[in-house]
Amino acid sequence: MPYVTTADDARIYYKDWGEGRPVVLSHGWPLSSDSWEAQQLALASGGFRAIAHDRRGHGRSTQTWHGNDMDTYADDLATLIDTLDLREVTLVGFSTGGGEVARYIGRHGTARVAQAVLVSAVPPFMLQTDDNPGGVPVEVFDGLRAGSLADRSQLYRDLADGPFFGENRPGADVSQGIRDAFWRQGLQAGHHNAYECIAGFSATDFRADLDAFDIPTLVIHGDDDQVVPLPVGGQASAARIKGATLTVYPGAPHGITDTHKQQLADDLLTFLRSH
């Protein structure tokens, strides 16, 4: 299996499908690159080189004890891009992966980047603070941490059967297979890594990173996202990134890589072909 190795010897697994201008896909918590498989297949079939990696501590990458933070995730992404010598890259980040993309641009710039896409993404800043009063209360994230320590397997079941895919909404019909895939990927992550990543995606302030965006950017978000509410995520990011385009999926939950897989793939291809 292909890996790149970081400066601290962590091995980052990646899938490299298709040929053409590169697209790099960053996944959400507590998932892996497998969560991108529908879009990765569509992009590779549509004439692009689609690359999806497992964040350190997740999927098939090294479960390091340290480095479970956004700066390190962004530096690992830079290692992947530099090692493969990717240029004119389109960075696509889902949920926590959107934070990874934002921090990459904040720390490494856009010399190798042509476009960016944030999907149900955690930027600009999830946590409710004095200077971010519209954010999500810390008790929500404390609940995730408590659930992770008490019964991580059941926590992932509850998320998949509830808010992540909107399965707790009347009329929802998300297959057992999709929910099982969330659970399987979650348990593949390291316990310590997934636990610390909760702070990474919730308490990292990406506002200055978004100010550094100087490339065409598409923001996609569902207006029934119960994990990263639209006003906290997509709306706030699109308002902060100069020239960004916001596309709202009516009635869509957080996990649109599965619930709206074809619509998302079509929108990504349209945006990619606009460059």
Side-chain angles (χ1 to χ4, degrees):
M1 294 193 292
Y3 289 87
V4 296
T5 303
T6 68
D8 65 346
D9 291 328
R11 300 180 76 221
I12 305 298
Y13 169 79
Y14 67 97
K15 306 177 192 178
D16 192 347
W17 296 355
E19 298 178 348
R21 191 155 57 81
V23 184
V24 176
L25 303 155
S26 295
H27 62 80
W29 174 91
L31 304 172
S32 72
S33 58
D34 292 352
S35 65
W36 278 120
E37 63 180 18
Q39 289 75 36
Q40 189 176 8
L41 181 61
L43 298 179
S45 301
F48 293 90
R49 180 182 177 187
I51 300 163
H53 64 291
D54 292 353
R55 183 175 304 115
R56 72 167 56 207
H58 297 68
R60 289 137 289 204
S61 292
T62 303
Q63 294 185 10
T64 56
W65 184 256
H66 57 277
N68 303 299
D69 58 80
M70 282 293 170
D71 285 355
T72 306
Y73 299 155
D75 291 350
D76 290 348
L77 177 58
T79 296
L80 176 72
I81 291 170
D82 292 348
T83 302
L84 299 183
D85 195 22
L86 304 179
R87 301 178 187 276
E88 290 288 292
V89 183
T90 297
L91 297 177
V92 184
F94 167 72
S95 193
T96 298
E100 187 176 306
V101 166
R103 185 50 53 92
Y104 172 87
I105 290 175
R107 284 173 69 83
H108 299 278
T110 55
R112 290 179 178 267
V113 183
Q115 299 169 295
V117 186
L118 302 178
V119 180
S120 308
V122 297
F125 187 19
M126 280 197 77
L127 186 64
Q128 185 180 75
T129 61
D130 290 343
D131 71 342
N132 190 40
V136 179
V138 69
E139 289 79 9
V140 173
F141 307 113
D142 287 343
L144 288 177
R145 280 183 276 263
S148 181
L149 293 176
D151 189 340
R152 191 163 71 105
S153 178
Q154 189 59 49
L155 171 67
Y156 298 157
R157 287 283 188 205
D158 292 344
L159 289 171
D161 292 344
F164 194 89
F165 297 115
E167 184 67 2
N168 55 345
R169 296 303 201 202
D173 185 19
V174 182
S175 76
Q176 187 66 53
I178 287 175
R179 288 178 279 147
D180 286 351
F182 179 99
W183 174 82
R184 175 188 65 79
Q185 290 174 56
L187 286 183
Q188 198 174 15
H191 188 7
H192 177 70
N193 308 94
Y195 181 87
E196 291 209 327
C197 189
I198 295 170
F201 72 70
S202 66
T204 302
D205 185 346
F206 300 101
R207 288 176 287 192
D209 301 305
L210 297 188
D211 292 342
F213 278 48
D214 58 359
I215 49 171
T217 302
L218 174 64
V219 179
I220 299 175
H221 217 104
D223 68 5
D224 193 29
D225 189 329
Q226 303 170 70
V227 177
V228 183
L230 174 62
V232 175
Q235 279 184 341
S237 287
R240 193 163 188 110
I241 299 170
K242 186 177 180 180
T245 299
L246 174 62
T247 298
V248 176
Y249 288 5
H254 187 65
I256 58 177
T257 52
D258 283 299
T259 61
H260 293 65
K261 61 176 66 175
Q262 190 58 55
Q263 182 179 356
L264 179 57
D266 291 344
D267 285 342
L268 290 175
L269 284 167
T270 297
F271 182 64
L272 282 160
R273 289 166 179 158
S274 72
H275 175 65

